[in-house]
Amino acid sequence: MKRRGETTAEPSGTPGLSTTNTAEQSKKMRVIYVVYIIVSLDITWMFLQFSVTPYLAKKLGFDTLWFGYLQTTVGLIQLIGGPMFGRFGDLFGARAALSLACAATTVSFLLLAVANHPVLLFVHKLPTVFMHVLPACQMVVTDLSEPEKRADALSKLGLCFGIGMIAGSTLGGNISMRYGETFAACVGAAGSAFSLLLVLNFIPKSTKSEASRSTIKSENQNKKVFSLGEITRLMKFPGVTRIFLIKIIAGLPSGIFQVMFSIIAMDFFKLEAQQNGYLMAYFGIVQMVVQGGLIGRLTSRFPEKSLLLLSIGITAGVGLAQAYMQTVFHLCLTVTPWMFSLSIFNVITDSMLTKIVPSSDTGTMLGLCASVQSLVRTIGPTIGGFLYMNYGLASIGLIEFFVNIVVFVYLLYRQLSNTERQKE
């Protein structure tokens, strides 16, 4: 016969443990939901700025080439800041990283509001060295999600991106048309300040696991925040360099079209600020559908390597279509497969890279992922401006087609070779 103490002690421990795990999981989900809100707001202000800057630059006398230089400056600054910012997030925690990013965004909008000279338009881009809200949010989601559900969780950030794209493009176009670019910039500054308040009130100091925190604590005694050695160390993990090269090579042609889109819309398609805003809102709707409804289901059913191959193949076809489009309707037809392929490509490569490295280094790795986009924004405007001015829009689409076809053939050959080896 069991004693009364034994009878009561055995069932009482299990519910207590279950309740603790449930409360911990609920707390993690609450933080993730707040992060989704912060991303939606940040992308809203970013696309508000995208809707304002090209037309303000035109008023200040910028031509296509000088606007390309402005975009290149932004990419170069963020290329330098991205990896360092990721390392900063790993060492000092999510709250510090997101607070720095939101504060820098606020300062950038305030500088844009007073920009009445071409030099000041360049000056307002300087805070972008710290403007890495999206990578910081990706770090939080990566830390708080399970590895097998990581791609789905990261894709939800893309859903927030689509919401922000719609809201920001619509707001930016309408506010700048009715009240001017200065007022639109002030709205962006106020919104970024509100995002900062959300960070300070709802984001924990650190989102790393206890094991990762102890690892980081020991590293802090010997290593600096801005350590190039730490960054290059991650590149030596098996598969990291190869995925990064694929991310750069296959992503560059699409990135060129992205960074040149404002100029293409204004010069080739002759769109006004308000019309451009509506078009960007359409892009946002497509992205919401793709990342909110499709990517999660695909990642749960198909291997990541197969999805990566699919995304690159679709991008090649879209590039060929973009080379021959002549109207806004043609552009809208190519947008759905283009956004689908880009969304899968970015989510899958980020997910693959964060799974390779230790959990204590996910922030640095995501900072490196952001630096790939910054690299595209650095060299993309110069290359895109040269191609567009000398060879027309078709040249950008054809390069996108040929580059992605080459990468597609390489990945297909590698995948088939691995399959043959497994059979042997």
Side-chain angles (χ1 to χ4, degrees):
M1 181 181 292
K2 295 183 179 180
R3 297 175 183 176
R4 181 174 297 179
E6 292 176 347
T7 305
T8 55
E10 186 175 351
S12 64
T14 304
L17 182 61
S18 177
T19 303
T20 302
N21 292 337
T22 303
E24 186 68 23
Q25 190 63 29
S26 177
K27 184 178 178 181
K28 287 182 178 181
M29 290 307 301
R30 187 162 57 247
V31 173
I32 290 176
Y33 289 145
V34 173
V35 165
Y36 289 157
I37 294 173
I38 292 171
V39 171
S40 299
L41 291 173
D42 180 70
I43 301 303
T44 297
W45 315 135
M46 183 178 75
F47 275 90
L48 183 145
Q49 186 184 57
F50 288 171
S51 300
V52 169
T53 305
Y55 298 93
L56 179 60
K58 191 173 182 179
K59 285 184 179 180
L60 294 177
F62 279 56
D63 58 12
T64 302
L65 190 60
W66 272 98
F67 187 75
Y69 291 152
L70 180 66
Q71 297 290 82
T72 300
T73 302
V74 176
L76 182 61
I77 292 172
Q78 291 201 317
L79 177 63
I80 297 170
M84 308 304 178
F85 182 87
R87 181 66 180 161
F88 178 88
D90 280 336
L91 294 179
F92 294 99
R95 185 191 298 165
L98 274 171
S99 297
L100 178 61
C102 291
T105 306
T106 304
V107 172
S108 177
F109 271 112
L110 291 175
L111 291 173
L112 179 62
V114 298
N116 56 5
H117 189 275
V119 174
L120 293 177
L121 204 57
F122 278 92
V123 170
H124 104 275
K125 297 295 186 182
L126 294 179
T128 56
V129 69
F130 301 119
M131 288 168 55
H132 298 279
V133 175
L134 184 57
C137 290
Q138 287 176 322
M139 181 187 74
V140 175
V141 172
T142 299
D143 291 341
L144 299 180
S145 60
E146 298 297 327
E148 62 272 11
K149 297 180 180 179
R150 186 166 298 168
D152 184 34
L154 289 173
S155 72
K156 295 298 187 295
L157 289 174
L159 174 63
C160 300
F161 194 100
I163 294 172
M165 185 187 295
I166 295 171
S169 301
T170 306
L171 277 175
N174 283 284
I175 292 176
S176 60
M177 286 284 288
R178 297 182 182 183
Y179 305 105
E181 289 83 3
T182 299
F183 183 78
C186 290
V187 171
S192 299
F194 178 72
S195 297
L196 177 59
L197 292 177
L198 288 178
V199 171
L200 295 174
N201 283 280
F202 296 102
I203 301 300
K205 184 178 179 181
S206 178
T207 53
K208 302 290 184 184
S209 64
E210 289 297 330
S212 298
R213 289 181 203 174
S214 60
T215 302
I216 293 169
K217 188 174 181 180
S218 63
E219 287 181 351
N220 284 347
Q221 299 174 357
N222 303 315
K223 297 175 182 177
K224 300 178 181 178
V225 176
F226 304 109
S227 172
L228 291 176
E230 279 301 295
I231 296 170
T232 54
R233 176 180 65 84
L234 296 183
M235 298 299 294
K236 295 179 181 178
F237 279 88
V240 170
T241 301
R242 180 174 57 85
I243 296 174
F244 258 97
L245 287 175
I246 292 172
K247 198 173 181 69
I248 294 171
I249 296 171
L252 179 59
S254 298
I256 290 174
F257 186 86
Q258 283 180 300
V259 297
M260 289 296 296
F261 180 78
S262 296
I263 297 299
I264 292 171
M266 188 167 53
D267 186 68
F268 186 84
F269 293 111
K270 308 298 182 184
L271 299 181
E272 298 293 333
Q274 193 172 14
Q275 295 171 318
N276 187 34
Y278 291 144
L279 185 60
M280 295 300 292
Y282 170 71
F283 291 176
I285 293 172
V286 173
Q287 179 151 344
M288 284 175 60
V289 173
V290 170
Q291 299 216 0
L294 294 179
I295 291 184
R297 297 178 182 178
L298 290 174
T299 53
S300 64
R301 296 182 182 181
F302 301 101
E304 290 183 337
K305 291 181 180 179
S306 299
L307 292 176
L308 179 62
L309 188 66
L310 173 66
S311 67
I312 293 173
I314 293 175
T315 302
V318 170
L320 188 62
Q322 287 175 342
Y324 296 100
M325 64 183 181
Q326 296 294 325
T327 66
V328 177
F329 178 71
H330 293 159
L331 175 63
C332 291
L333 288 179
T334 64
V335 163
T336 300
W338 188 50
M339 296 298 290
F340 175 76
S341 61
L342 286 181
S343 297
I344 293 180
F345 181 78
N346 290 325
V347 169
I348 294 301
T349 50
D350 288 353
S351 177
M352 292 172 73
L353 288 168
T354 55
K355 289 177 182 177
I356 294 174
V357 301
S359 59
S360 59
D361 293 315
T362 53
T364 308
M365 178 53 69
L366 288 167
L368 287 169
C369 291
S371 73
V372 174
Q373 301 297 323
S374 300
L375 176 64
V376 171
R377 287 196 295 270
T378 300
I379 61 178
T382 302
I383 297 174
F386 174 80
L387 290 173
Y388 181 71
M389 294 290 288
N390 291 278
Y391 303 103
L393 178 61
S395 62
I396 299 176
L398 290 174
I399 289 176
E400 185 175 7
F401 168 71
F402 285 116
V403 169
N404 280 274
I405 278 292
V406 171
V407 176
F408 177 84
V409 171
Y410 163 75
L411 288 177
L412 183 61
Y413 172 78
R414 184 182 177 87
Q415 193 164 317
L416 292 175
S417 299
N418 290 337
T419 304
E420 289 297 325
R421 286 179 196 148
Q422 290 174 0
K423 289 180 178 179
E424 294 175 359

